[in-house]
Amino acid sequence: MNKKVFSLFTMLFVCLTLAFVSCGDDDPITPTPEEPTTPEEPTTPEEPSQTAAVGWPAAYNGVMLQAFYWDSFDETQWTVLESQADEMAGTFDLVWLPQSGNCGGKSMGYDDLYWFNNYNSSFGTEAQLRSLISTYKEKGIKTIADVVINHRRNLSNWVDFPKETYQGITYEMTSTDIVKNDDDGATLKWANSNGFQLSSNNDTGEGWGGMRDLDHKSENVQNIVKAYLKFLLDDLGYAGFRYDMVKGYSPSYTGMYNAYSQPEFSVGECWDGTNTIRNWIDGTKVNGKIQSAAFDFQFKYVVRNATKGNNWTNLDFQNDGNWPLVSKNYNQGSYRRYAVTFVENHDTQLRNDGSSNGPLERDTLAANAYLMAMPGTPCVFLPHWLDYAAQIKTMVAARKLAGINSESSYNVFRSNAKYYAIITSTNNEERMLTALGDVKKIDEVVDAKQWCKVTQGYHYAYYLPTTMDMAYADLPSGTYKGTQQVMLSAITATEGAQVVYTTDGSEPTATSNPVPSGYTLTFTPGTVTLKVGLLVDGQVKKVITRNYTINMREEDIPVEIPSFCTVSEGETCAFFESPAGWTETVMCWAWIDNGSNFTGGSWPGEACTLIGSAANGNKVWKWTYSGNLTTRPAKIIFSNNGSPKTDNLDFKNGGYYNKTGLKGIVGE
């Protein structure tokens, strides 16, 4: 990361740790149980309109994508996300974007600065953001804004906020909009020494010392926040909000702001135990109506515990005294509607610097399969989508075909350390059976007359009820990278039923490749129209169509090494073709296993030399070792001045690399 960006008030430390600290607990996995509390009422609350927001739609059947992770500056460029609209359409109904305002430098957005006038951020320009939101709307995808209103960054000192004018009205927070006890009194001490006055009100929630905590009792703060939220919805075109660090202020203010701005969706980051999350949801009520959903953090940790311990029965257990909001054992079933479930996010993931907070360490596919089979609204993590797009598409397609929604229910079918299965129901009708772990053990006890396996992968499988009476291909239509496998199923209770298929777009007949249910096809790069029908008693019925465009994976695309790349006799060097989104100087980090370093010993290492551009326009850089050489490096990393970076790559002298790895050797 470019340290110059955050030199003011140690912003480097702030942006690397903010999301972790925002939970308000040293150990969010084992929060201290809390008794229900009555939230503090805001001053002069707004009366909601007759179409008051209700927090989250009832029986919602959509799926959300968190379209960023920590330091995802490449993958989360607005232009990159917009280019994936067709691929996401039909799978994701909501996409949660990072905080999109300018933060005064390279940032993930949690040191928010500008709210109205500057939307040229680390992810692109305002025009690109508007284009992204508009394109997603056209594809049936709604966007969720990351809203950071617990705290705000200043321009040059402890109390100066930007003055912004929007629709002829000037908005500016002042020193009196900062809570009196901000930063444990350090801000007040500074203000008194420099002739400023803070609010007379203390914080209505948990404090945080990284930036100035806002006084939500202030009428000025309330008016600016309301205008800001309306700007996000009515001007930029967002459909809803993800509120950051909601434990930092009373939930009644989230209720006030949503009742005023009327988002379609609202979810709060209340990182804590289930009772605290439930109390926060209740605390958002206006006129008796809940105004926001919340992330189901205990769902994440229960899944993490089960996969980490390689013991699937842990999905049945409380997580240190806390049932997930969507758990069948949690007797507050009505909260399922307001539970946004997830198995990983930017706060809990294992980051490049080695920090983490309960990351998912194994069984990523099985964890996502469980996520898609459960009540609540699933939120997929961007790295999981990037690594397993085809598999996640099949999971979402099965969930939607089964009719699972946020208020569905489930029962445990089998529970064992090595395998686990649940049956998910909607409106008291069994709609999907999900197997995890040793799936073969579940196959042995599933009634084939009742259930048909429709998709499977490492440690997971889905079964749909045979009453659906249809042919099925588990991979939805779309564009994919790399060789794809498609499982064909005859979802019917009729004995001896088969599936027939064609791959040239023609209608299948009784003689068109008849195969048993569970047969798998393999498709290599190219385009294909797959038609699949149900063959029963010599008759073909219920024909479905899948259209696939399959491209080569980026790592499989041949690369032409530019002629200007040369290696002198005895030279130890490497070349790197940087992605278009890498705008900083490329740095090199090279080492051997005993710890010896060839690039200065201080991350991110030594600057490479720009030597030209490849045929595709990407910049080409060269690193040369200049010291006395006794042995060559074993490993090498290239980075965009620290972040993002490549994986740990095997060093080859004269190697020509891009972000996917070694592409060739110069001179060979």
Side-chain angles (χ1 to χ4, degrees):
M1 182 177 288
N2 187 344
K3 294 182 179 179
K4 296 179 180 178
V5 174
F6 301 111
S7 59
L8 181 61
F9 302 134
T10 63
M11 278 295 113
L12 176 62
F13 174 80
V14 169
C15 287
L16 286 176
T17 60
L18 173 57
F20 285 5
V21 179
S22 68
C23 67
D25 290 295
D26 292 332
D27 182 6
I29 304 174
T30 56
T32 302
E34 294 184 15
E35 293 298 321
T37 57
T38 302
E40 186 171 355
E41 289 298 321
T43 55
T44 61
E46 292 281 334
E47 287 294 324
S49 68
Q50 291 182 348
T51 58
V54 289
W56 204 262
Y60 184 61
N61 63 1
V63 176
M64 183 160 68
L65 172 71
Q66 179 182 356
F68 64 98
Y69 57 91
W70 201 254
D71 288 346
S72 62
F73 298 110
D74 272 0
E75 287 78 1
T76 309
Q77 288 292 306
W78 305 141
T79 53
V80 172
L81 292 176
E82 183 173 0
S83 71
Q84 298 171 1
D86 285 331
E87 186 177 1
M88 294 179 182
T91 297
F92 298 114
D93 307 271
L94 303 173
V95 173
W96 163 23
L97 300 178
Q99 199 282 118
S100 49
N102 184 286
C103 295
K106 190 173 184 179
S107 170
M108 288 303 298
Y110 293 106
D111 53 339
D112 60 317
L113 182 61
Y114 291 99
W115 286 5
F116 297 97
N117 293 160
N118 191 337
Y119 275 77
N120 296 319
S121 72
S122 298
F123 307 103
T125 66
E126 179 178 333
Q128 291 168 342
L129 172 64
R130 290 181 180 275
S131 178
L132 166 65
I133 294 173
S134 176
T135 297
Y136 276 12
K137 278 185 179 179
E138 293 172 3
K139 303 296 181 180
I141 302 170
K142 298 178 180 180
T143 46
I144 302 297
D146 204 317
V147 174
V148 185
I149 56 174
N150 171 71
H151 53 264
R152 196 175 181 186
R153 184 178 175 179
N154 306 101
L155 289 167
S156 62
N157 63 39
W158 287 54
V159 298
D160 63 335
F161 297 98
K163 179 185 293 186
E164 301 179 272
T165 300
Y166 175 63
Q167 293 185 341
I169 300 175
T170 298
Y171 299 99
E172 183 181 17
M173 293 182 182
T174 68
S175 62
T176 57
D177 293 320
I178 301 169
V179 295
K180 181 179 180 180
N181 60 339
D182 181 53
D183 202 3
D184 292 326
T187 306
L188 180 62
K189 181 179 179 180
W190 183 92
N192 290 337
S193 299
N194 289 273
F196 291 96
Q197 182 180 353
L198 303 186
S199 170
S200 59
N201 300 316
N202 285 330
D203 207 332
T204 59
E206 296 181 0
W208 181 72
M211 275 166 279
R212 308 289 67 79
D213 282 5
L214 303 179
D215 176 21
H216 288 272
K217 290 184 177 181
S218 162
E219 185 176 354
N220 187 46
V221 169
Q222 292 176 13
N223 289 337
I224 295 175
V225 170
K226 290 175 183 177
Y228 171 46
L229 298 181
K230 292 292 283 184
F231 166 77
L232 293 174
L233 295 174
D234 299 341
D235 198 321
L236 289 183
Y238 283 106
F241 310 132
R242 176 267 184 186
Y243 285 100
D244 178 66
M245 197 178 171
V246 296
K247 289 169 62 179
Y249 51 99
S250 169
S252 57
Y253 294 105
T254 300
M256 168 198 283
Y257 297 141
N258 282 349
Y260 174 83
S261 60
Q262 297 290 293
E264 293 182 61
F265 304 88
S266 172
V267 55
E269 183 212 22
C270 186
W271 193 344
D272 211 307
T274 309
N275 283 339
T276 300
I277 298 173
R278 177 173 60 84
N279 291 337
W280 183 85
I281 292 173
D282 284 339
T284 69
K285 288 180 180 178
V286 174
N287 288 348
K289 293 183 178 181
I290 290 171
Q291 300 294 311
S292 184
F295 284 106
D296 194 346
F297 275 88
Q298 296 309 314
F299 182 93
K300 180 265 181 303
Y301 287 117
V302 165
V303 173
R304 188 282 306 267
N305 291 347
T307 55
K308 182 178 181 180
N310 198 25
N311 185 341
W312 294 104
T313 59
N314 284 333
L315 293 174
D316 283 337
F317 297 155
Q318 290 177 309
N319 180 49
D320 298 311
N322 291 281
W323 291 111
L325 286 171
V326 296
S327 172
K328 70 182 181 67
N329 295 308
Y330 184 60
N331 61 8
Q332 305 289 337
S334 61
Y335 288 93
R336 290 177 179 171
R337 169 179 173 177
Y338 303 106
V340 178
T341 54
F342 66 103
V343 296
E344 194 71 296
N345 71 13
H346 64 293
D347 288 335
T348 61
Q349 71 172 113
L350 180 62
R351 296 184 179 179
N352 290 336
D353 63 0
S355 60
S356 65
N357 212 319
L360 185 69
E361 299 177 4
R362 56 183 294 173
D363 274 318
T364 300
L365 283 172
N368 278 279
Y370 182 65
L371 176 73
M372 291 304 158
M374 288 288 283
T377 297
C379 182
V380 175
F381 191 38
L382 179 62
H384 297 175
W385 168 247
L386 295 177
D387 290 341
Y388 304 109
Q391 293 92 327
I392 289 175
K393 276 191 173 186
T394 66
M395 295 174 190
V396 175
R399 175 187 176 89
K400 291 186 175 182
L401 180 62
I404 298 172
N405 62 52
S406 60
E407 297 184 68
S408 294
S409 60
Y410 74 99
N411 287 298
V412 177
F413 178 68
R414 290 290 187 277
S415 180
N416 184 280
K418 294 183 178 180
Y419 54 86
Y420 185 85
I422 61 169
I423 295 176
T424 312
S425 300
T426 300
N427 298 326
N428 296 317
E429 181 181 354
E430 293 182 345
R431 299 299 298 170
M432 189 162 77
L433 188 154
T434 301
L436 303 170
D438 187 353
V439 174
K440 291 182 180 180
K441 294 294 184 181
I442 305 300
D443 284 337
E444 294 173 359
V445 296
V446 167
D447 183 354
K449 292 183 179 180
Q450 182 180 2
W451 298 101
C452 175
K453 185 189 291 185
V454 296
T455 192
Q456 63 182 352
Y458 183 71
H459 280 179
Y460 74 93
Y462 286 160
Y463 308 74
L464 293 178
T466 55
T467 53
M468 297 183 76
D469 196 42
M470 62 181 292
Y472 189 67
D474 66 342
L475 187 68
S477 297
T479 300
Y480 299 91
K481 294 179 181 179
T483 299
Q484 298 296 319
Q485 292 189 324
V486 183
M487 182 174 172
L488 309 182
S489 300
I491 309 176
T492 178
T494 304
E495 291 187 11
Q498 293 181 298
V499 286
V500 289
Y501 71 91
T502 62
T503 57
D504 59 3
S506 62
E507 289 297 307
T509 67
T511 59
S512 301
N513 305 306
V515 294
S517 184
Y519 187 80
T520 299
L521 297 174
T522 300
F523 294 111
T524 56
T527 58
V528 62
T529 296
L530 171 67
K531 291 198 172 186
V532 184
L534 187 63
L535 180 62
V536 178
D537 296 330
Q539 300 295 316
V540 179
K541 61 179 183 178
K542 307 292 181 69
V543 175
I544 63 169
T545 302
R546 299 283 192 264
N547 294 299
Y548 303 128
T549 298
I550 302 174
N551 299 319
M552 294 182 67
R553 297 183 306 166
E554 186 179 357
E555 53 266 38
D556 296 331
I557 299 174
V559 170
E560 180 180 351
I561 299 176
S563 59
F564 55 75
C565 294
T566 60
V567 180
S568 302
E569 183 176 353
E571 184 179 19
T572 296
C573 64
F575 302 85
F576 182 70
E577 182 181 310
S578 60
W582 286 26
T583 58
E584 305 284 345
T585 297
V586 168
M587 306 295 287
C588 176
W589 180 258
W591 75 101
I592 56 178
D593 291 338
N594 67 7
S596 297
N597 189 276
F598 295 78
T599 46
S602 178
W603 176 262
E606 293 180 346
C608 298
T609 301
L610 178 62
I611 60 173
S613 296
N616 59 11
N618 289 342
K619 295 177 180 179
V620 178
W621 306 75
K622 182 178 182 180
W623 169 76
T624 299
Y625 181 63
S626 58
N628 296 322
L629 190 68
T630 57
T631 184
R632 282 179 170 153
K635 297 288 185 179
I636 193 167
I637 294 174
F638 297 96
S639 71
N640 184 45
N641 196 25
S643 179
K645 64 181 182 64
T646 65
D647 292 333
N648 296 352
L649 307 173
D650 292 333
F651 176 82
K652 299 293 183 183
N653 193 44
Y656 188 89
Y657 301 82
N658 65 14
K659 193 178 181 184
T660 66
L662 180 68
K663 309 307 294 185
I665 306 294
V666 172
E668 291 187 358

